[in-house]
Amino acid sequence: STGMCTFDPGFGSTASCESSITYIDGNKGILLYRGYPIEELAAEGDFIDSTFLLLHGELPSKQEKALFEREIKYHTLVHEQLIQFYRGFRHDAHPMAIMVGVVGALAAFYPEVAEVRNPQQQLRACYRLIAKMPTLAAMAYKTSIGQPIIYPRNDLNYAENFLHMMFAVPSERYEVDPELAKALEIIFILHLDHEQNASTSTVRTAGSSQANPFACVASGIAALWGPAHGGANEAVLKMLEEIDRLGGVEQIPTMVARAKDKNDSFRLMGFGHRVYKSYDPRAKLMRQVTYRVLEKLGRKDTLLDIAMELEKIALQDDYFVKRSLYPNVDFYSGIVLRALGIPVEMYTVLFAMARTVGWVAQWKEMVADATGRITRPRQIYTGELRRKFIPVYERQ
Ligand code: SDX
């Protein structure tokens, strides 16, 4: 395929986009990365396998894998001056606001990436973004709680390194729990890419103007932030906490009734999907990871009980069944991230970290097509026809 996207939704033609990266069958609940089922990649592979696969189209050989991982790790540090950006934010700045700013600002430190047509520069920009997102994300968290920034450690893998940068402090030894890191790695794999969703389409649209990849990913972060999209994981947890605050599972019928009431803007967060009209395969895997983490920590979580009860009631309700509204990837992620000690404001940041792999893979596929045209969705004009100007002294 050419990776070309032509949006032309007006007058009979349809918006279409050719890509060979991710395939979704919304009715059957199928998700494939370059033809490999997400279930197998999550169960048998690791972050580096899936990242190499999405970027380069094949699973890496042993040697390719070692080289690729070293290449990614080479870029985990950020320019020391970038740290000044974090000092400018108030302590209560939402980390997604910080990420939009600092990721776009990366372009100020790598002027050469403006040459988006240079394949070597393209690849280096992809590696830099994948490698630096965890460092930038953990820096946002550390500065928000007034703790010193923890530098990346290249002896740890992607998920271990992130947990270490989030929770280590200079004054104490901090050992990353490999089982919890593995659970987090699976969560990242489930979020890497998802075809032409809102934020990926935003990245492609920005890239079609030949904007540099840092600016493109910053635009993707901005689009992902919305509660109808990646911001849903934070919104799900707040919804479950609200149900818990109002009294727990007996509040669920009231919440479900509100979600069905057309006069109420409330929606069941974590339910429904633009493409999946069956169970989101990622939601099933997220629920398994949630159980595994809670069991490992020897913890129960009333929010999980509420989530399970909410899912059961909703899936028996005609309103949800008729509209094929099933739990999506965001429905369980908040519970497992909370169990891992991740603060709720960071949930969408973790989504953006992982989705950066898909964004750069899709950007790379698109810019490789030198004949690519700038994206320009057509509109169906519904405004006034031509009118004559009226001077202000003649107006009512
Ligand atoms: C992600 O595209 C992707 O791939 C995204 C994503 C990715 O990996 O990139 O999968 C990640 O964004 C997952 C979705 C996370 N968002 C949420 O959980 C927010 C809650 N969900 C809804 O806002 C909604 O379901 C959307 C936005 C996800 C999908 O919206 P659609 O497909 O445009 O559905 P719609 O708005 O046309 O709704 C169809 C009907 C409507 O009712 P009717 O007009 O038919 O009477 O279903 C209703 C909606 O009111 N509906 C809901 C609902 N979602 C849809 N009613 C109650 N609760 C909901 N959650």
Side-chain angles (χ1 to χ4, degrees), residues 104-138:
L106 282 174
F109 295 86
Y110 303 103
E112 71 281 9
V113 286
E115 306 155 39
V116 291
R117 291 283 175 215
N118 172 330
Q120 273 316 312
Q121 288 301 353
Q122 288 167 8
L123 210 47
R124 202 169 296 129
C126 293
Y127 292 169
R128 281 190 170 120
L129 278 157
I130 294 167
K132 294 180 193 312
M133 283 294 280
T135 309
L136 296 169

Side-chain angles (χ1 to χ4, degrees), residues 24 194 197-199 227-230 232 259 262 266-274 277 280 282 319-320 323 325 328-330 351 355:
I24 301 173
H194 210 239
N197 57 83
S199 52
H229 189 13
K262 290 301 163 206
F266 174 74
R267 284 194 162 184
L268 278 191
M269 301 316 280
F271 270 80
H273 197 275
R274 217 60 191 90
K277 299 310 169 193
D280 182 337
R282 302 167 298 174
Y319 173 95
F320 290 88
R323 292 169 176 78
L325 301 177
N328 58 48
V329 67
D330 294 306
F351 194 153
R355 187 52 58 86

Side-chain angles (χ1 to χ4, degrees), residues 277-288:
K277 299 310 169 193
S278 61
Y279 218 100
D280 182 337
R282 302 167 298 174
K284 281 184 196 149
L285 296 165
M286 287 297 290
R287 186 167 57 180
Q288 289 167 14

Side-chain angles (χ1 to χ4, degrees), residues 89 92-102 133 197-200 202-203 217-236 238 269 330 344-353 355 359:
F89 290 101
D92 56 356
H94 195 290
M96 284 296 276
I98 296 174
M99 293 302 284
V100 171
V102 295
M133 283 294 280
N197 57 83
S199 52
T200 300
T202 303
V203 170
V217 168
S219 71
I221 295 170
L224 186 76
W225 193 0
H229 189 13
N233 53 20
E234 182 177 341
V236 167
K238 288 186 172 154
M269 301 316 280
D330 294 306
V344 63
E345 296 74 24
M346 289 292 289
Y347 292 2
T348 312
V349 175
L350 269 72
F351 194 153
M353 272 167 53
R355 187 52 58 86
W359 287 335

Side-chain angles (χ1 to χ4, degrees), residues 293-335:
V293 166
L294 290 175
E295 200 179 327
K296 152 85 185 155
L297 295 171
R299 250 194 252 155
K300 276 191 65 53
D301 185 340
T302 46
L303 298 191
L304 178 60
D305 302 336
I306 292 172
M308 301 295 291
E309 186 61 18
L310 180 56
E311 177 184 346
K312 198 174 93 198
I313 293 177
L315 297 189
Q316 288 164 355
D317 188 298
D318 196 37
Y319 173 95
F320 290 88
V321 174
K322 260 188 0 193
R323 292 169 176 78
S324 306
L325 301 177
Y326 291 87
N328 58 48
V329 67
D330 294 306
F331 188 60
Y332 287 101
S333 49
I335 300 166

